[in-house]
Amino acid sequence: MFQTVKFFINFSNKIPRIKDSAVLGLVCGLIGTIPMDIIDFAFWMFGKHEMLYGHLAGSMIFRPIRTHRRENFIIGHVMHLLTGSGLGYLITGFLKKTGKDHHLIKGSFIGMLGWMTLYEFGQRVKWFTLKARKSSTFYTAFFMNLIYGMTTAQAIVSLAHPSVFDNKKIKQNTSIQPVSNFYTDSQTIDTPAEYTI
């Protein structure tokens, strides 16, 4: 057990850190969709909810019956992954603004906002042609978005270069420094007067 923990610590130290906050958010948002999709597939296999996220996202451009075709499901799943990457960018910006302390709470908060906007509000305004009818579908979607937000936030904190969250701005001295006067006042040199006799 100790060797396994030691292996993961050493492995995480060797992962290159990402300096660009946009790339960091997009990559970590994609990472956050991995456990989300695993849970989504497991719940769907056991009949706990009615559709996969690939079906739901695909229903934005296809009719419900066509979302079950393999090629249409792949397009829907790509749309779902792109949405996850975009939300990862939002979580990165939120963590940069507020700090990375309590990042799991902050990440789950953005995940919940994503669930409310895309899943709940999206179905009410008919963004999707597929509609969830079971209450369990809503509960599992809530749980998956919570997991997504926490995973994405943890990935952001783990993969970010220290400079991403360094909010200390180097103050540049913009005050005008006095320029030394190169011109000196003419000095009067007293020379002894010459007299002719």
Side-chain angles (χ1 to χ4, degrees):
M1 179 68 178
F2 179 73
Q3 295 295 331
T4 307
V5 172
K6 189 177 179 181
F7 168 77
F8 280 113
I9 291 172
N10 291 334
F11 179 73
S12 65
N13 290 335
K14 292 178 183 177
I15 297 174
R17 301 294 183 251
I18 303 172
K19 291 183 180 180
D20 190 316
S21 58
V23 174
L24 176 69
L26 295 175
V27 169
C28 293
L30 198 62
I31 292 171
T33 60
I34 295 171
M36 186 183 192
D37 287 339
I38 292 170
I39 296 168
D40 187 33
F41 184 74
F43 280 21
W44 184 69
M45 286 291 291
F46 288 104
K48 296 296 182 183
H49 68 133
E50 301 156 273
M51 67 194 90
L52 296 171
Y53 271 108
H55 296 137
L56 182 65
S59 73
M60 293 181 79
I61 54 177
F62 299 114
R63 280 181 275 177
I65 194 67
R66 297 184 65 194
T67 58
H68 295 283
R69 292 184 183 176
R70 181 181 296 175
E71 61 273 15
N72 296 344
F73 175 79
I74 291 172
I75 292 172
H77 196 70
V78 168
M79 292 170 64
H80 160 64
L81 294 176
L82 290 173
T83 304
S85 288
L87 283 175
Y89 178 73
L90 291 179
I91 294 173
T92 304
F94 187 60
L95 290 178
K96 281 186 70 174
K97 194 78 175 172
T98 62
K100 62 179 181 178
D101 55 327
H102 308 295
H103 60 280
L104 296 179
I105 296 173
K106 295 173 184 178
S108 60
F109 171 72
I110 300 294
M112 293 300 95
L113 286 181
W115 171 75
M116 286 172 56
T117 304
L118 298 173
Y119 202 85
E120 296 295 323
F121 180 73
Q123 290 207 357
R124 291 187 182 278
V125 297
K126 298 181 180 179
W127 286 349
F128 312 104
T129 55
L130 277 176
K131 275 198 170 185
R133 292 176 177 83
K134 293 182 181 178
S135 297
S136 60
T137 303
F138 291 96
Y139 297 142
T140 54
F142 177 87
F143 176 69
M144 286 183 287
N145 278 270
L146 181 69
I147 295 297
Y148 163 80
M150 295 174 71
T151 306
T152 303
Q154 183 60 55
I156 290 167
V157 170
S158 300
L159 295 179
H161 191 271
S163 62
V164 173
F165 295 107
D166 187 14
N167 293 327
K168 294 178 182 177
K169 295 180 180 178
I170 301 171
K171 293 182 180 179
Q172 296 179 351
N173 191 1
T174 56
S175 60
I176 300 172
Q177 298 293 331
V179 180
S180 60
N181 191 0
F182 292 107
Y183 301 101
T184 57
D185 295 329
S186 58
Q187 297 176 350
T188 306
I189 301 174
D190 293 328
T191 55
E194 295 182 0
Y195 297 99
T196 53
I197 297 177

